[in-house]
Amino acid sequence: MSAELYNNQERHLVAVDCIIFGYEDGELKLLLFHRGIVPAKGEWSLLGGWVNTDETIEDAAERVLMQTTGLKDIYLEQVHVFSEPERDPGGRVISIAFNALVDIKKHNKELVREHGAHWWGISELPKLIFDHDQMVSKALEKLRQKASYEIIGDRLLPEYFTISDLRTLYNAIFQTEFDPGNFRKKMLTLDALKKTNRKDTSGSKKGAFYYKFKTDSKINMGKKIKIV
Amino acid sequence: MSAELYNNQERHLVAVDCIIFGYEDGELKLLLFHRGIVPAKGEWSLLGGWVNTDETIEDAAERVLMQTTGLKDIYLEQVHVFSEPERDPGGRVISIAFNALVDIKKHNKELVREHGAHWWGISELPKLIFDHDQMVSKALEKLRQKASYEIIGDRLLPEYFTISDLRTLYNAIFQTEFDPGNFRKKMLTLDALKKTNRKDTSGSKKGAFYYKFKTDSKINMGKKIKIV
DNA sequence: ACAAAAGTGTTTCGGCTACACCCATGC
DNA sequence: GCATGGGTGTAGCCGAAACACTTTTGT
């Protein structure tokens, strides 16, 4: 069993591209980068990086995110593999798209600025290079699906937040307006949130209680996948 | 813009592994292979193949399936990328797992026999090489999710089938017993099936009408992804 | 006649929806 | 007091689940 067993086979460049979601000012946002290398230098793109021999693709995505945003322990999820031979005019690159959910408040703004990055509202994205538009579209689809089955705020919101914050996040994700009363009831029946006794008075005169996620997160939405 | 732009980067072997689902005798089955090359020669594995430079990973999966089973136009869906550096003792191979749904009746049995393949019931699989067990587990999860949102029989069942056939397939997929009456009603409300006037009398004295899928398949199960 | 699967009907239950309606407070 | 968002209550609707019941026909 040597490493040369498969030597007759073609080898490929493998990359990861990260769709970095954040949430700020009631809007779902994506972190995009001015591409620093040819081809398409200077255009907007997702955060990408090469996969090395001694790491998994998840490791690679984590490393690239750490180097660029200073964040660690980021939620990552595979989205889709893009492998059109001509997708990157610079050469044949197989790229795995990853969803990354980050708390905008926490990332290292210096690092990000250095890398020529900018947060864009989900509904006003610029044209992206290559097939990155497709990646974003798949990523959003996946994010919505995920958000349908579990509360995903724990990665996008700060530690303490109000139910209204959570609702506004969901409004942004699904581009709709959820009924405040029904939304609250649904979220509370899931038994994933812990009420604190502090209030946020910035949003209303009455003030809204802060909640936080229970430690055993990963609560599902009760919508069991089930047919018939 | 030359093909040598990215020449400093490490290149990797990229493979596809196909989880080939079929349905026969009321059981969900997987097509497994006696591996023909070292390492792990002779052990059971999924159908795998290398990705070439001039093709997408989907092309590669299609090609491998065609060469091995003689089938074309097979339903394929990406499942997950497996990239542990040590997952294959023969070398660092990044593998993309694909779900393939085939009509067992249609494949080229000669070709398959030549390749030392065998259909295994989903509940009595042998130990598989490498991380192929994990692949199967992810594949099943994905299949169930898919089956929850759309009727998937059109790839696994013959052209004409009874509602009972469809129910038995679903029973096999979800390892449960759906209520015959409720199942029938649910499937018919989806408006995806077309009744014929021929009957299958093999299953009962009364006989059951054959149905076929409406041409515009891809009907979803009415379970809209929706929260609140 | 009877067994056995096909197919229909009925009742109950729980969750979602669409509201109406209090509550607390800053102005 | 009144406007504003926070928070609670409730009636109606709809689909899932459970299960009784009717139909058909080979034996």
Side-chain angles (χ1 to χ4, degrees), chain A residues 198-212:
Chain A
R198 291 181 306 105
K199 276 194 166 189
D200 168 22
T201 50
S202 68
S204 72
K205 337 277 177 161
K206 183 178 176 183
F209 282 106
Y210 279 114
Y211 285 78
K212 61 176 298 190

Side-chain angles (χ1 to χ4, degrees), chain A residues 1-7 9-14 35 37-40 50-59 78-85 88-94 96 130 142 144-145 147-149 170 174 178-179 182-183 186-187 221 223-228, chain B residues 1-7 9-14 35 37-40 50-59 78-85 88-94 96 130 142 144-145 147-149 170 174 178-179 182-183 186-187 221 223-228:
Chain A
M1 290 208 194
S2 86
E4 287 82 36
L5 271 170
Y6 304 140
N7 261 354
Q9 295 305 323
E10 293 172 353
R11 288 165 185 269
H12 310 276
L13 294 166
V14 179
R35 193 171 150 90
I37 56 170
V38 285
W50 301 107
V51 173
N52 296 329
T53 298
D54 59 351
E55 62 183 3
T56 66
I57 55 173
E58 283 80 11
D59 291 337
Q78 288 186 22
V79 172
H80 197 74
V81 182
F82 292 82
S83 61
E84 283 293 333
D88 183 333
R92 200 277 156 86
V93 179
I94 295 172
I96 297 119
F130 308 168
K142 193 109 183 179
R144 289 188 177 134
Q145 190 158 335
S148 305
Y149 286 98
Y170 266 78
F174 288 97
F178 290 108
D179 179 278
N182 293 336
F183 185 89
K186 175 69 181 175
M187 289 302 145
M221 300 283 277
K223 292 243 187 191
K224 277 155 282 164
I225 295 177
K226 189 188 274 193
I227 66 108
V228 179
Chain B
M1 289 208 195
S2 85
E4 285 84 35
L5 271 171
Y6 303 142
N7 261 356
Q9 295 305 323
E10 293 172 352
R11 288 165 185 268
H12 311 276
L13 294 165
V14 179
R35 192 172 150 90
I37 56 171
V38 284
W50 301 107
V51 173
N52 297 328
T53 298
D54 60 350
E55 62 184 3
T56 65
I57 55 175
E58 282 79 11
D59 291 338
Q78 288 185 22
V79 171
H80 197 74
V81 182
F82 293 81
S83 62
E84 283 292 332
D88 182 333
R92 201 280 156 88
V93 179
I94 295 172
I96 297 119
F130 308 166
K142 192 109 183 180
R144 289 188 177 131
Q145 189 158 336
S148 304
Y149 285 99
Y170 266 78
F174 288 96
F178 290 109
D179 179 278
N182 292 337
F183 186 89
K186 176 67 181 175
M187 289 300 147
M221 302 283 277
K223 291 245 190 192
K224 276 155 282 164
I225 295 175
K226 188 189 277 193
I227 66 108
V228 177

Side-chain angles (χ1 to χ4, degrees), chain B residues 14-64:
Chain B
V14 179
V16 291
D17 282 301
C18 300
I19 299 94
I20 307 174
F21 287 100
Y23 173 70
E24 201 177 36
D25 304 330
E27 215 186 351
L28 190 64
K29 296 186 173 179
L30 285 189
L31 188 60
L32 298 179
F33 292 77
H34 261 309
R35 192 172 150 90
I37 56 171
V38 284
K41 181 168 177 170
E43 296 182 31
W44 290 100
S45 80
L46 298 169
L47 173 63
W50 301 107
V51 173
N52 297 328
T53 298
D54 60 350
E55 62 184 3
T56 65
I57 55 175
E58 282 79 11
D59 291 338
E62 213 170 281
R63 172 174 52 76
V64 171

Side-chain angles (χ1 to χ4, degrees), chain A residues 23-25 103-107 109 158:
Chain A
Y23 174 70
E24 201 177 36
D25 304 331
D103 180 350
I104 282 192
K105 299 284 187 295
K106 275 194 196 148
H107 72 249
K109 294 201 200 302

Side-chain angles (χ1 to χ4, degrees), chain B residues 24 38 72 100 109 113 155 170 185 192 201 211 224:
Chain B
E24 201 177 36
V38 284
K72 44 178 185 282
K109 293 200 201 306
R113 199 174 2 246
R155 298 303 186 141
Y170 266 78
K185 274 176 286 184
T201 51
Y211 286 77
K224 276 155 282 164

